[in-house]
Amino acid sequence: MRTKESWFPKFKPHTGNLETPVQIDEYLPPGKSIVLGLQHAFAMFGATVLAPLLMGFDPNLTIFITGIGTILFFLITGGRMPSYLGSSFAFIGAVAAATGYAGVGSNPNLAVALGGTIICGLIYACIGLIVMKTGTAWIEKLMPPVVTGAIVMIIGLNLAPVTIKNVSTNSFDTWMAVITILCISAVAVFTRGMIRRLLLLIGLISAYFIYFLLTNILGLGKPIDFNAISQAAWFGLPTFHSPVFNAKAILLIAPVALILVAENLGHFKAVSAMTERNLSPYMGRAFFADGICTSLSASVGGTGMTTYAENIGVMAVTKVYSTTIFVVAGLFAILLGLSPKFGAIISTIPVALLGGASIVVFGLITVAGAKIWIDNKVDFTKNSTLIIAAVSLIMGAGNLSLHIGPFDLGGIGTATLAAIVLNLLLNRTEKSESQSIEKSVEPLNSVPHL
């Protein structure tokens, strides 16, 4: 008779050296755990700070909440899924559409974005509960690689116009955005190891230093004002915010749950392959945990959350998969979030530098969607696949938005819905046709090769 599995695994000490993989249910001595946990905190730092800045959220609060969320994720998943929960870029387009945020300063309509994010998290948590009962097969059927790749690409393409507009206000800002891109690119290409993992953080710091020299020293452009840093306390609670539930904002933001499912499904499969363990039985727990943490985060003013590819990359390099390391990383994030002085430093980052970083980030998101197609060998000789990708991408890039009564789905929501519906309709139709007739011509011969 099969015994019922306990919620947590029986953690045991790692007996090998750091050259041998440290498995999920193993733990390291305190000293090594602290160093590796700090490394994970650094890995998530750049993106977790950048995402709230691009939505007008408080980065200090977000860092603090992601630390708590990561520890909750460990508890809810029973320590069986190694991951850091950072702020999600998938929410940026939907939040911008729901709040009218222009990308500069604090978001004046933050409250309605929080309400929509809470509902999104609850929907995601419900999907997690269903997956816990039924498994992931239905999700993979609903969102095969052609759909998930398109959804990921849509996020980057939809955000591109606003980003370019923000760095085009004057010639100096445009050039500083280009310099930021070059700094981040140099770190990405010409460095190795942990420095490369921190490309956003180190690239931004480099660009910040150049901006300081050009403005505060040489008198070009708008100088950085450091007064807020000297006035901020070293320790203190971040400022919390209350949500407002607005139907239009909810309809715009709630569909992001589907994007999170697609994104995290890929992340968990990658972790499963790295650890050589079947993690499918725990994916429902992970979806549920991410959804609950997203709703809890938004209830006090934080961003939506997602598992972080940056930290998956760190695991791939270190071969340390122990989930206890992420508890340590979460504790570091909580301590960092409790420093108003840190928040004041972040607030001095010029808009031009954030714009340059955004161009890189949104471009990488777009390319990541294309990589899903390549990795899964998506067949673009099929008419159905071509139509699904082509229609949804142009809808997303052009920000085409469907209106249902008084509600607005937004560009990302509309394109995501289009990809899913077209897949259900066209793939089923083409599959049934291919079983009854033999294809005699190449599909879409009139379409030029690009």
Side-chain angles (χ1 to χ4, degrees):
M1 184 176 177
R2 188 178 177 181
T3 58
K4 187 177 180 181
E5 182 183 61
S6 62
W7 191 258
F8 287 92
K10 292 182 179 179
F11 289 101
K12 53 186 179 292
H14 179 64
T15 54
N17 54 42
L18 279 182
E19 295 301 316
T20 58
V22 180
Q23 281 299 337
I24 290 170
D25 55 357
E26 295 180 328
Y27 62 87
L28 292 168
K32 291 179 179 178
S33 294
I34 289 172
V35 172
L36 289 165
L38 183 60
Q39 181 174 249
H40 274 292
F42 275 120
M44 66 81 191
F45 181 84
T48 298
V49 168
L50 184 59
L53 287 174
L54 298 179
M55 291 184 278
F57 284 59
D58 180 359
N60 230 51
L61 175 61
T62 299
I63 287 285
F64 176 74
I65 294 298
T66 61
I68 295 175
T70 298
I71 295 172
L72 283 175
F73 184 88
F74 171 84
L75 296 173
I76 295 172
T77 60
R80 296 181 182 275
M81 191 72 78
S83 188
Y84 189 92
L85 285 193
S87 50
S88 173
F89 284 84
F91 286 89
I92 296 175
V95 167
T99 62
Y101 181 62
V104 181
S106 298
N107 193 328
N109 298 313
L110 176 66
V112 297
L114 298 178
T117 303
I118 289 174
I119 300 301
C120 176
L122 293 176
I123 293 172
Y124 188 20
C126 288
I127 293 173
L129 290 174
I130 295 171
V131 171
M132 288 169 70
K133 291 291 185 183
T134 64
T136 60
W138 65 275
I139 292 178
E140 297 182 44
K141 185 177 180 180
L142 186 69
M143 293 186 291
V146 63
V147 174
T148 55
I151 290 172
V152 173
M153 292 181 75
I154 286 162
I155 299 170
L157 293 173
N158 183 264
L159 295 167
V162 176
T163 304
I164 298 301
K165 182 180 179 182
N166 286 342
V167 299
S168 303
T169 54
N170 59 70
S171 180
F172 181 78
D173 279 0
T174 302
W175 276 109
M176 283 311 307
V178 171
I179 289 172
T180 304
I181 293 169
L182 291 175
C183 288
I184 295 173
S185 301
V187 176
V189 175
F190 300 115
T191 64
R192 294 291 182 271
M194 194 59 199
I195 294 177
R196 176 178 283 185
R197 300 305 312 172
L198 300 175
L199 74 165
L200 284 174
L201 177 62
I202 294 175
L204 266 177
I205 291 173
S206 303
Y208 189 96
F209 180 69
I210 295 171
Y211 189 99
F212 172 79
L213 289 178
L214 293 175
T215 58
N216 293 62
I217 304 298
L218 299 179
L220 303 172
K222 182 181 178 181
I224 301 171
D225 185 0
F226 295 102
N227 288 329
I229 298 175
S230 60
Q231 295 171 3
W234 280 103
F235 296 103
L237 282 172
T239 303
F240 298 106
H241 302 272
S242 299
V244 171
F245 295 94
N246 175 277
K248 181 179 178 181
I250 290 170
L251 193 63
L252 284 168
I253 298 173
V256 175
L258 296 175
I259 300 171
L260 294 176
V261 169
E263 177 183 43
N264 288 318
L265 186 66
H267 286 176
F268 299 144
K269 284 187 173 183
V271 174
S272 185
M274 281 192 301
T275 59
E276 297 182 348
R277 291 194 175 190
N278 180 20
L279 299 180
S280 294
Y282 311 116
M283 284 189 187
R285 290 190 196 183
F287 291 154
F288 176 76
D290 193 2
I292 290 297
C293 290
T294 289
S295 294
L296 290 175
S297 171
S299 68
V300 295
T303 63
M305 295 188 185
T306 188
T307 55
Y308 255 33
E310 288 87 343
N311 298 89
I312 293 173
V314 171
M315 285 191 287
V317 171
T318 63
K319 293 181 170 57
V320 178
Y321 311 119
S322 172
T323 52
T324 59
I325 298 297
F326 290 96
V327 176
V328 178
L331 291 173
F332 274 119
I334 291 171
L335 291 174
L336 198 59
L338 290 174
S339 175
K341 195 170 287 290
F342 162 72
I345 293 171
I346 297 299
S347 69
T348 65
I349 300 175
V351 173
L353 306 193
L354 292 175
S358 299
I359 291 172
V360 175
V361 169
F362 299 152
L364 289 174
I365 291 172
T366 304
V367 172
K371 188 175 183 296
I372 291 174
W373 289 345
I374 295 169
D375 290 347
N376 290 278
K377 297 180 174 60
V378 174
D379 184 5
F380 282 103
T381 64
K382 294 172 62 178
N383 284 351
S384 59
T385 303
L386 285 169
I387 293 296
I388 292 165
V391 171
S392 60
L393 287 182
I394 295 303
M395 280 184 172
N399 201 31
L400 177 66
S401 181
L402 285 177
H403 295 264
I404 303 175
F407 304 118
D408 184 349
L409 285 179
I412 293 177
T414 299
T416 298
L417 180 64
I420 292 172
V421 171
L422 285 173
N423 172 66
L424 292 174
L425 294 176
L426 301 182
N427 268 338
R428 179 179 298 178
T429 301
E430 186 162 279
K431 184 178 179 181
S432 62
E433 286 181 354
S434 66
Q435 291 172 347
S436 58
I437 61 173
E438 200 172 304
K439 285 191 285 186
S440 58
V441 293
E442 294 245 347
L444 294 186
N445 284 327
S446 60
V447 178
H449 295 286
L450 302 178

PDB file of all heavy atoms in Angstrom, residues 347-374:
ATOM      1  N   SER A 347      15.303  56.112  -6.352  1.00  0.00           N
ATOM      2  CA  SER A 347      14.471  57.199  -6.911  1.00  0.00           C
ATOM      3  C   SER A 347      15.283  58.222  -7.696  1.00  0.00           C
ATOM      4  O   SER A 347      14.720  59.022  -8.440  1.00  0.00           O
ATOM      5  CB  SER A 347      13.697  57.904  -5.787  1.00  0.00           C
ATOM      6  OG  SER A 347      14.585  58.643  -4.956  1.00  0.00           O
ATOM      7  N   THR A 348      16.610  58.222  -7.532  1.00  0.00           N
ATOM      8  CA  THR A 348      17.440  59.186  -8.260  1.00  0.00           C
ATOM      9  C   THR A 348      17.820  58.713  -9.659  1.00  0.00           C
ATOM     10  O   THR A 348      18.446  59.458 -10.413  1.00  0.00           O
ATOM     11  CB  THR A 348      18.739  59.491  -7.477  1.00  0.00           C
ATOM     12  OG1 THR A 348      19.539  58.297  -7.400  1.00  0.00           O
ATOM     13  CG2 THR A 348      18.439  59.998  -6.080  1.00  0.00           C
ATOM     14  N   ILE A 349      17.464  57.491 -10.012  1.00  0.00           N
ATOM     15  CA  ILE A 349      17.822  56.979 -11.350  1.00  0.00           C
ATOM     16  C   ILE A 349      17.078  57.792 -12.411  1.00  0.00           C
ATOM     17  O   ILE A 349      15.853  57.860 -12.410  1.00  0.00           O
ATOM     18  CB  ILE A 349      17.464  55.491 -11.493  1.00  0.00           C
ATOM     19  CG1 ILE A 349      18.205  54.654 -10.460  1.00  0.00           C
ATOM     20  CG2 ILE A 349      17.804  54.992 -12.904  1.00  0.00           C
ATOM     21  CD1 ILE A 349      17.815  53.187 -10.466  1.00  0.00           C
ATOM     22  N   PRO A 350      17.778  58.432 -13.338  1.00  0.00           N
ATOM     23  CA  PRO A 350      17.126  59.259 -14.372  1.00  0.00           C
ATOM     24  C   PRO A 350      16.226  58.437 -15.298  1.00  0.00           C
ATOM     25  O   PRO A 350      16.473  57.258 -15.535  1.00  0.00           O
ATOM     26  CB  PRO A 350      18.314  59.851 -15.137  1.00  0.00           C
ATOM     27  CG  PRO A 350      19.472  59.758 -14.201  1.00  0.00           C
ATOM     28  CD  PRO A 350      19.248  58.509 -13.410  1.00  0.00           C
ATOM     29  N   VAL A 351      15.196  59.084 -15.824  1.00  0.00           N
ATOM     30  CA  VAL A 351      14.240  58.435 -16.723  1.00  0.00           C
ATOM     31  C   VAL A 351      14.926  57.884 -17.966  1.00  0.00           C
ATOM     32  O   VAL A 351      14.590  56.804 -18.451  1.00  0.00           O
ATOM     33  CB  VAL A 351      13.130  59.437 -17.129  1.00  0.00           C
ATOM     34  CG1 VAL A 351      12.222  58.832 -18.194  1.00  0.00           C
ATOM     35  CG2 VAL A 351      12.326  59.856 -15.914  1.00  0.00           C
ATOM     36  N   ALA A 352      15.928  58.602 -18.467  1.00  0.00           N
ATOM     37  CA  ALA A 352      16.622  58.157 -19.680  1.00  0.00           C
ATOM     38  C   ALA A 352      17.295  56.809 -19.474  1.00  0.00           C
ATOM     39  O   ALA A 352      17.295  55.959 -20.364  1.00  0.00           O
ATOM     40  CB  ALA A 352      17.658  59.204 -20.089  1.00  0.00           C
ATOM     41  N   LEU A 353      17.871  56.595 -18.285  1.00  0.00           N
ATOM     42  CA  LEU A 353      18.534  55.326 -18.008  1.00  0.00           C
ATOM     43  C   LEU A 353      17.526  54.196 -17.881  1.00  0.00           C
ATOM     44  O   LEU A 353      17.757  53.090 -18.359  1.00  0.00           O
ATOM     45  CB  LEU A 353      19.362  55.434 -16.723  1.00  0.00           C
ATOM     46  CG  LEU A 353      20.383  56.571 -16.635  1.00  0.00           C
ATOM     47  CD1 LEU A 353      21.322  56.351 -15.459  1.00  0.00           C
ATOM     48  CD2 LEU A 353      21.179  56.704 -17.926  1.00  0.00           C
ATOM     49  N   LEU A 354      16.400  54.474 -17.233  1.00  0.00           N
ATOM     50  CA  LEU A 354      15.344  53.465 -17.126  1.00  0.00           C
ATOM     51  C   LEU A 354      14.798  53.121 -18.507  1.00  0.00           C
ATOM     52  O   LEU A 354      14.480  51.960 -18.795  1.00  0.00           O
ATOM     53  CB  LEU A 354      14.213  53.968 -16.224  1.00  0.00           C
ATOM     54  CG  LEU A 354      14.541  54.122 -14.738  1.00  0.00           C
ATOM     55  CD1 LEU A 354      13.355  54.738 -14.003  1.00  0.00           C
ATOM     56  CD2 LEU A 354      14.893  52.774 -14.130  1.00  0.00           C
ATOM     57  N   GLY A 355      14.691  54.136 -19.368  1.00  0.00           N
ATOM     58  CA  GLY A 355      14.214  53.896 -20.727  1.00  0.00           C
ATOM     59  C   GLY A 355      15.160  53.003 -21.512  1.00  0.00           C
ATOM     60  O   GLY A 355      14.730  52.092 -22.224  1.00  0.00           O
ATOM     61  N   GLY A 356      16.458  53.257 -21.374  1.00  0.00           N
ATOM     62  CA  GLY A 356      17.437  52.414 -22.053  1.00  0.00           C
ATOM     63  C   GLY A 356      17.389  50.987 -21.564  1.00  0.00           C
ATOM     64  O   GLY A 356      17.440  50.038 -22.363  1.00  0.00           O
ATOM     65  N   ALA A 357      17.274  50.821 -20.237  1.00  0.00           N
ATOM     66  CA  ALA A 357      17.161  49.477 -19.670  1.00  0.00           C
ATOM     67  C   ALA A 357      15.883  48.797 -20.141  1.00  0.00           C
ATOM     68  O   ALA A 357      15.864  47.588 -20.398  1.00  0.00           O
ATOM     69  CB  ALA A 357      17.198  49.551 -18.147  1.00  0.00           C
ATOM     70  N   SER A 358      14.814  49.573 -20.274  1.00  0.00           N
ATOM     71  CA  SER A 358      13.533  49.019 -20.729  1.00  0.00           C
ATOM     72  C   SER A 358      13.633  48.487 -22.147  1.00  0.00           C
ATOM     73  O   SER A 358      13.067  47.444 -22.472  1.00  0.00           O
ATOM     74  CB  SER A 358      12.440  50.096 -20.663  1.00  0.00           C
ATOM     75  OG  SER A 358      12.250  50.551 -19.355  1.00  0.00           O
ATOM     76  N   ILE A 359      14.359  49.205 -23.006  1.00  0.00           N
ATOM     77  CA  ILE A 359      14.527  48.747 -24.384  1.00  0.00           C
ATOM     78  C   ILE A 359      15.186  47.369 -24.404  1.00  0.00           C
ATOM     79  O   ILE A 359      14.772  46.461 -25.135  1.00  0.00           O
ATOM     80  CB  ILE A 359      15.359  49.761 -25.193  1.00  0.00           C
ATOM     81  CG1 ILE A 359      14.557  51.056 -25.399  1.00  0.00           C
ATOM     82  CG2 ILE A 359      15.778  49.180 -26.543  1.00  0.00           C
ATOM     83  CD1 ILE A 359      15.352  52.190 -26.019  1.00  0.00           C
ATOM     84  N   VAL A 360      16.208  47.204 -23.563  1.00  0.00           N
ATOM     85  CA  VAL A 360      16.897  45.911 -23.483  1.00  0.00           C
ATOM     86  C   VAL A 360      15.955  44.839 -22.945  1.00  0.00           C
ATOM     87  O   VAL A 360      15.838  43.743 -23.508  1.00  0.00           O
ATOM     88  CB  VAL A 360      18.150  46.013 -22.594  1.00  0.00           C
ATOM     89  CG1 VAL A 360      18.787  44.637 -22.415  1.00  0.00           C
ATOM     90  CG2 VAL A 360      19.150  46.987 -23.192  1.00  0.00           C
ATOM     91  N   VAL A 361      15.272  45.151 -21.836  1.00  0.00           N
ATOM     92  CA  VAL A 361      14.409  44.170 -21.177  1.00  0.00           C
ATOM     93  C   VAL A 361      13.270  43.731 -22.091  1.00  0.00           C
ATOM     94  O   VAL A 361      13.015  42.530 -22.259  1.00  0.00           O
ATOM     95  CB  VAL A 361      13.846  44.740 -19.858  1.00  0.00           C
ATOM     96  CG1 VAL A 361      12.745  43.834 -19.308  1.00  0.00           C
ATOM     97  CG2 VAL A 361      14.956  44.881 -18.824  1.00  0.00           C
ATOM     98  N   PHE A 362      12.582  44.698 -22.697  1.00  0.00           N
ATOM     99  CA  PHE A 362      11.437  44.356 -23.536  1.00  0.00           C
ATOM    100  C   PHE A 362      11.896  43.636 -24.805  1.00  0.00           C
ATOM    101  O   PHE A 362      11.185  42.776 -25.330  1.00  0.00           O
ATOM    102  CB  PHE A 362      10.628  45.595 -23.882  1.00  0.00           C
ATOM    103  CG  PHE A 362      10.070  46.297 -22.667  1.00  0.00           C
ATOM    104  CD1 PHE A 362       9.823  47.660 -22.689  1.00  0.00           C
ATOM    105  CD2 PHE A 362       9.820  45.608 -21.495  1.00  0.00           C
ATOM    106  CE1 PHE A 362       9.318  48.305 -21.570  1.00  0.00           C
ATOM    107  CE2 PHE A 362       9.324  46.239 -20.371  1.00  0.00           C
ATOM    108  CZ  PHE A 362       9.067  47.593 -20.407  1.00  0.00           C
ATOM    109  N   GLY A 363      13.085  43.986 -25.283  1.00  0.00           N
ATOM    110  CA  GLY A 363      13.642  43.268 -26.421  1.00  0.00           C
ATOM    111  C   GLY A 363      13.968  41.825 -26.069  1.00  0.00           C
ATOM    112  O   GLY A 363      13.689  40.908 -26.845  1.00  0.00           O
ATOM    113  N   LEU A 364      14.542  41.614 -24.883  1.00  0.00           N
ATOM    114  CA  LEU A 364      14.865  40.267 -24.435  1.00  0.00           C
ATOM    115  C   LEU A 364      13.601  39.427 -24.224  1.00  0.00           C
ATOM    116  O   LEU A 364      13.590  38.226 -24.508  1.00  0.00           O
ATOM    117  CB  LEU A 364      15.674  40.323 -23.138  1.00  0.00           C
ATOM    118  CG  LEU A 364      17.116  40.839 -23.268  1.00  0.00           C
ATOM    119  CD1 LEU A 364      17.755  40.988 -21.900  1.00  0.00           C
ATOM    120  CD2 LEU A 364      17.948  39.912 -24.146  1.00  0.00           C
ATOM    121  N   ILE A 365      12.543  40.073 -23.725  1.00  0.00           N
ATOM    122  CA  ILE A 365      11.268  39.368 -23.562  1.00  0.00           C
ATOM    123  C   ILE A 365      10.757  38.894 -24.920  1.00  0.00           C
ATOM    124  O   ILE A 365      10.327  37.746 -25.085  1.00  0.00           O
ATOM    125  CB  ILE A 365      10.228  40.273 -22.882  1.00  0.00           C
ATOM    126  CG1 ILE A 365      10.612  40.527 -21.419  1.00  0.00           C
ATOM    127  CG2 ILE A 365       8.832  39.639 -22.943  1.00  0.00           C
ATOM    128  CD1 ILE A 365       9.739  41.566 -20.733  1.00  0.00           C
ATOM    129  N   THR A 366      10.828  39.788 -25.905  1.00  0.00           N
ATOM    130  CA  THR A 366      10.356  39.443 -27.252  1.00  0.00           C
ATOM    131  C   THR A 366      11.156  38.278 -27.836  1.00  0.00           C
ATOM    132  O   THR A 366      10.601  37.323 -28.385  1.00  0.00           O
ATOM    133  CB  THR A 366      10.460  40.669 -28.180  1.00  0.00           C
ATOM    134  OG1 THR A 366       9.725  41.760 -27.608  1.00  0.00           O
ATOM    135  CG2 THR A 366       9.899  40.361 -29.554  1.00  0.00           C
ATOM    136  N   VAL A 367      12.468  38.347 -27.690  1.00  0.00           N
ATOM    137  CA  VAL A 367      13.326  37.287 -28.214  1.00  0.00           C
ATOM    138  C   VAL A 367      13.089  35.971 -27.462  1.00  0.00           C
ATOM    139  O   VAL A 367      13.160  34.883 -28.057  1.00  0.00           O
ATOM    140  CB  VAL A 367      14.808  37.709 -28.133  1.00  0.00           C
ATOM    141  CG1 VAL A 367      15.725  36.548 -28.491  1.00  0.00           C
ATOM    142  CG2 VAL A 367      15.066  38.884 -29.059  1.00  0.00           C
ATOM    143  N   ALA A 368      12.788  36.070 -26.168  1.00  0.00           N
ATOM    144  CA  ALA A 368      12.500  34.856 -25.387  1.00  0.00           C
ATOM    145  C   ALA A 368      11.294  34.120 -25.949  1.00  0.00           C
ATOM    146  O   ALA A 368      11.242  32.885 -25.944  1.00  0.00           O
ATOM    147  CB  ALA A 368      12.259  35.218 -23.924  1.00  0.00           C
ATOM    148  N   GLY A 369      10.307  34.880 -26.447  1.00  0.00           N
ATOM    149  CA  GLY A 369       9.145  34.257 -27.082  1.00  0.00           C
ATOM    150  C   GLY A 369       9.538  33.517 -28.347  1.00  0.00           C
ATOM    151  O   GLY A 369       9.089  32.388 -28.594  1.00  0.00           O
ATOM    152  N   ALA A 370      10.418  34.141 -29.140  1.00  0.00           N
ATOM    153  CA  ALA A 370      10.894  33.476 -30.355  1.00  0.00           C
ATOM    154  C   ALA A 370      11.694  32.221 -30.008  1.00  0.00           C
ATOM    155  O   ALA A 370      11.636  31.211 -30.718  1.00  0.00           O
ATOM    156  CB  ALA A 370      11.751  34.439 -31.168  1.00  0.00           C
ATOM    157  N   LYS A 371      12.434  32.279 -28.908  1.00  0.00           N
ATOM    158  CA  LYS A 371      13.235  31.121 -28.480  1.00  0.00           C
ATOM    159  C   LYS A 371      12.342  29.934 -28.114  1.00  0.00           C
ATOM    160  O   LYS A 371      12.702  28.777 -28.340  1.00  0.00           O
ATOM    161  CB  LYS A 371      14.106  31.506 -27.290  1.00  0.00           C
ATOM    162  CG  LYS A 371      15.112  30.430 -26.881  1.00  0.00           C
ATOM    163  CD  LYS A 371      16.026  30.946 -25.780  1.00  0.00           C
ATOM    164  CE  LYS A 371      17.084  29.904 -25.411  1.00  0.00           C
ATOM    165  NZ  LYS A 371      16.514  28.690 -24.834  1.00  0.00           N
ATOM    166  N   ILE A 372      11.159  30.224 -27.563  1.00  0.00           N
ATOM    167  CA  ILE A 372      10.202  29.146 -27.263  1.00  0.00           C
ATOM    168  C   ILE A 372       9.824  28.420 -28.548  1.00  0.00           C
ATOM    169  O   ILE A 372       9.753  27.191 -28.587  1.00  0.00           O
ATOM    170  CB  ILE A 372       8.948  29.716 -26.565  1.00  0.00           C
ATOM    171  CG1 ILE A 372       9.295  30.203 -25.150  1.00  0.00           C
ATOM    172  CG2 ILE A 372       7.837  28.665 -26.492  1.00  0.00           C
ATOM    173  CD1 ILE A 372       8.158  30.918 -24.451  1.00  0.00           C
ATOM    174  N   TRP A 373       9.606  29.182 -29.621  1.00  0.00           N
ATOM    175  CA  TRP A 373       9.282  28.569 -30.914  1.00  0.00           C
ATOM    176  C   TRP A 373      10.436  27.692 -31.406  1.00  0.00           C
ATOM    177  O   TRP A 373      10.231  26.573 -31.872  1.00  0.00           O
ATOM    178  CB  TRP A 373       8.991  29.654 -31.958  1.00  0.00           C
ATOM    179  CG  TRP A 373       7.703  30.376 -31.743  1.00  0.00           C
ATOM    180  CD1 TRP A 373       6.664  30.002 -30.936  1.00  0.00           C
ATOM    181  CD2 TRP A 373       7.306  31.601 -32.364  1.00  0.00           C
ATOM    182  NE1 TRP A 373       5.644  30.920 -31.012  1.00  0.00           N
ATOM    183  CE2 TRP A 373       6.004  31.907 -31.878  1.00  0.00           C
ATOM    184  CE3 TRP A 373       7.903  32.473 -33.265  1.00  0.00           C
ATOM    185  CZ2 TRP A 373       5.303  33.054 -32.277  1.00  0.00           C
ATOM    186  CZ3 TRP A 373       7.217  33.609 -33.667  1.00  0.00           C
ATOM    187  CH2 TRP A 373       5.927  33.897 -33.176  1.00  0.00           C
ATOM    188  N   ILE A 374      11.652  28.231 -31.302  1.00  0.00           N
ATOM    189  CA  ILE A 374      12.821  27.506 -31.809  1.00  0.00           C
ATOM    190  C   ILE A 374      13.068  26.237 -30.991  1.00  0.00           C
ATOM    191  O   ILE A 374      13.271  25.148 -31.546  1.00  0.00           O
ATOM    192  CB  ILE A 374      14.065  28.417 -31.786  1.00  0.00           C
ATOM    193  CG1 ILE A 374      13.880  29.583 -32.763  1.00  0.00           C
ATOM    194  CG2 ILE A 374      15.324  27.626 -32.125  1.00  0.00           C
ATOM    195  CD1 ILE A 374      14.918  30.667 -32.640  1.00  0.00           C
TER     196      ILE A 374
END
